[in-house]
Amino acid sequence: MSYYLSSENHLDPGPIYVRENGQLHMVNLALDGVRSSLQKPRPFRLFPKGFSVELCMNREDDTARKEKTDHFIFTYTREGNLRYSAKSLFSLVLGFISDNVDHIDSLIGFPEQIAEKLFSAAEARQKFTEPGAGLRALQKFTEAYGSLVLCSLCLRNRYLVISEKLEEIKSFRELTCLDLSCCKLGDEHELLEHLTNEALSSVTQLHLKDNCLSDAGVRKMTAPVRVMKRGLENLTLLDLSCNPEITDAGIGYLFSFRKLNCLDISGTGLKDIKTVKHKLQTHIGLVHSKVPLKEFDHSNCKTEGWADQIVLQWERVTAEAVKPQETSEPRTTAQRFYGKRSRAEAPLKCPLADPHMNSSEKLQFYKEKAPDCHGPVLKHEAISSQESKKSKKRPFEESETEQNNSSQPSKQKYVCLAVDDWDLLNSY
């Protein structure tokens, strides 16, 4: 029996009983290695006990479930049955790249049509709202496509977006219109310094209404144009209204904007308005407007480009981040930037249109166009051309009457010509 227990290659004999002192006992095989050698080999199971498809799906996370279903398009037939079809290879590749858009090295030279679809796919996945990764992805698009990503940006009264997404805003290039009205930037804000960057030399319309600017801020903003002929040299419209710290000295820095066609300095701290009007007219040819100009109604500058929805996403994300922090959590970067005023306070309304301000009190200036560009002048020219035609007709008619009156004498003169004269005329 000991030989049988010590042997390794054997079949399981089952339980072993031994009669001892007239009683039957089962042998205890709790020896080392004996129990394992005598146990039956368990049958191989492909799935664990109690496995089902539903339990397997419950153990998976949402991302894994999305990866399984993201490759298919689910629709319903007329009978109400669920039908699915595989997505195209282009859609699958586009979705994969958009999920990892921040890892792209460069998009320079990439076709614009496909880049726009890639941008829309990344925007739908809200990749540009992610901190860090969103900035890297946005920079790849802006450095490759410039104004296609965004040609006009309106951040009016969105100071929270500016404070939270400053680096993303600075990544935009080749903007033509920028509205920063009612953002309380101040003279030392980083974005005001960025305005003089070469990347924003394409800006033609700039709205800086109600931004707590002073003469120092205007001097800093115009320094590259005055010294190096760079920066905002292509500026044609500038709104500096509702900045009471800007005085007569600050207006003198604006003379470097030679292409300026419209200027609004209403609500500034000017003292000698008559002298300022005279200087603006003599230096850059701007004339005071007696009626409000439509260029300053803040309806022309809108966010336009591929990234127009991204700005709305930024605003929604910042608004949601503010709500739980209003009572207990400490102040964030935006609160520290705006000093002691808490975010819980109601935002100040931007005085875009002051009904109490008369048109005579508004200091809006425009550059007179060439005479041939105005309708009334064209009418005047038409009248003068008609008069000139009439004046031409009058001497012509007078000459005709004179010819009729002198027709008889002239005939007599022609008759009186000599024969040699006739031969000379016939020779021609």
Side-chain angles (χ1 to χ4, degrees):
M1 182 176 176
S2 61
Y3 173 78
Y4 178 78
L5 294 176
S6 61
S7 63
E8 296 180 0
N9 297 326
H10 61 276
L11 296 176
D12 186 10
I16 299 175
Y17 297 90
V18 177
R19 182 179 293 273
E20 185 178 0
N21 297 326
Q23 294 182 357
L24 192 63
H25 300 280
M26 187 176 67
V27 178
N28 186 13
L29 301 178
L31 302 176
D32 295 338
V34 176
R35 183 184 294 273
S36 60
S37 62
L38 294 179
Q39 288 178 350
K40 279 187 177 182
R42 294 182 178 180
F44 176 75
R45 290 179 179 272
L46 182 61
F47 300 103
K49 209 172 210 183
F51 171 82
S52 66
V53 177
E54 184 178 358
L55 293 176
C56 182
M57 292 296 294
N58 288 337
R59 285 199 297 267
E60 291 181 347
D61 54 356
D62 294 337
T63 57
R65 190 182 306 173
K66 183 179 179 182
E67 289 178 358
K68 286 190 174 183
T69 59
D70 196 32
H71 297 171
F72 302 96
I73 301 174
F74 295 91
T75 55
Y76 286 94
T77 60
R78 294 181 178 179
E79 293 78 11
N81 299 325
L82 183 64
R83 181 178 61 185
Y84 66 92
S85 57
K87 291 184 179 180
S88 63
L89 181 60
F90 177 79
S91 300
L92 296 178
V93 174
L94 193 68
F96 177 78
I97 298 177
S98 61
D99 287 332
N100 303 275
V101 67
D102 57 309
H103 298 290
I104 297 177
D105 291 334
S106 177
L107 288 171
I108 298 176
F110 201 68
E112 299 174 358
Q113 295 82 357
I114 302 179
E116 184 177 3
K117 294 181 179 180
L118 178 60
F119 191 92
S120 300
E123 176 191 329
R125 289 167 168 80
Q126 296 188 358
K127 288 294 180 179
F128 298 107
T129 59
E130 298 177 359
L135 175 60
R136 292 193 300 270
L138 189 61
Q139 287 175 344
K140 301 301 180 183
F141 282 95
T142 53
E143 69 183 5
Y145 304 103
S147 60
L148 291 177
V149 178
L150 213 61
C151 62
S152 178
L153 178 59
C154 179
L155 295 174
R156 187 185 315 127
N157 206 17
R158 295 176 178 174
Y159 49 86
L160 291 179
V161 177
I162 294 177
S163 60
E164 296 292 339
K165 299 293 181 180
L166 180 60
E167 294 299 325
E168 285 83 350
I169 294 171
K170 289 168 61 178
S171 66
F172 292 122
R173 302 184 180 186
E174 300 180 13
L175 292 174
T176 58
C177 183
L178 181 59
D179 193 348
L180 300 173
S181 302
C182 311
C183 290
K184 310 293 184 182
L185 297 180
D187 296 333
E188 303 297 330
H189 198 273
E190 189 176 350
L191 186 56
L192 188 66
E193 183 180 356
H194 180 68
L195 291 177
T196 61
N197 199 319
E198 193 68 24
L200 293 181
S201 60
S202 59
V203 173
T204 58
Q205 299 182 19
L206 180 60
H207 298 268
L208 293 173
K209 182 175 186 176
D210 191 18
N211 269 289
C212 303
L213 298 178
S214 64
D215 295 341
V218 178
R219 181 184 60 189
K220 185 185 298 184
M221 184 178 61
T222 58
V225 182
R226 291 185 286 108
V227 179
M228 298 178 292
K229 305 299 180 183
R230 296 168 58 184
L232 298 171
E233 56 182 353
N234 297 317
L235 200 63
T236 60
L237 185 145
L238 179 61
D239 187 0
L240 292 176
S241 58
C242 300
N243 290 289
E245 298 297 326
I246 298 178
T247 62
D248 303 29
I251 302 300
Y253 298 122
L254 303 179
F255 298 156
S256 57
F257 295 140
R258 296 296 178 180
K259 298 181 180 180
L260 201 62
N261 293 329
C262 297
L263 175 65
D264 190 357
I265 52 176
S266 307
T268 54
L270 301 181
K271 296 181 180 180
D272 193 353
I273 298 178
K274 185 176 181 181
T275 304
V276 171
K277 290 181 181 179
H278 178 71
K279 288 183 178 180
L280 287 174
Q281 185 172 4
T282 54
H283 285 81
I284 51 180
L286 293 180
V287 182
H288 179 248
S289 177
K290 297 181 180 179
V291 295
L293 299 176
K294 63 179 182 179
E295 286 80 4
F296 297 107
D297 59 358
H298 295 268
S299 61
N300 298 325
C301 187
K302 299 179 181 179
T303 304
E304 296 178 355
W306 296 351
D308 54 352
Q309 296 299 319
I310 293 180
V311 180
L312 298 178
Q313 290 180 2
W314 291 345
E315 188 176 9
R316 184 174 62 253
V317 169
T318 51
E320 292 175 354
V322 168
K323 291 179 181 179
Q325 297 178 2
E326 288 181 352
T327 56
S328 58
E329 295 189 9
R331 295 182 177 185
T332 57
T333 306
Q335 285 179 305
R336 290 195 298 270
F337 172 76
Y338 289 104
K340 297 182 179 179
R341 182 166 55 90
S342 62
R343 285 183 173 184
E345 296 177 3
L348 297 177
K349 293 184 179 180
C350 182
L352 293 179
D354 192 357
H356 301 289
M357 184 179 293
N358 299 326
S359 59
S360 59
E361 296 178 358
K362 290 189 176 183
L363 295 177
Q364 296 180 350
F365 298 84
Y366 70 99
K367 184 175 290 186
E368 291 182 339
K369 298 180 180 180
D372 55 349
C373 297
H374 289 283
V377 180
L378 290 175
K379 292 180 180 179
H380 177 70
E381 288 184 352
I383 295 173
S384 60
S385 62
Q386 290 178 0
E387 291 180 353
S388 61
K389 289 180 180 179
K390 290 181 179 179
S391 62
K392 289 180 180 179
K393 288 181 179 180
R394 288 174 182 174
F396 181 74
E397 292 175 355
E398 292 177 356
S399 61
E400 283 184 350
T401 54
E402 291 178 355
Q403 287 180 0
N404 292 330
N405 294 331
S406 60
S407 59
Q408 297 298 331
S410 63
K411 289 180 180 179
Q412 293 178 358
K413 289 181 181 178
Y414 290 134
V415 173
C416 295
L417 290 175
V419 178
D420 297 335
D421 296 331
W422 283 108
D423 293 338
L424 181 62
L425 292 173
N426 292 329
S427 64
Y428 287 104

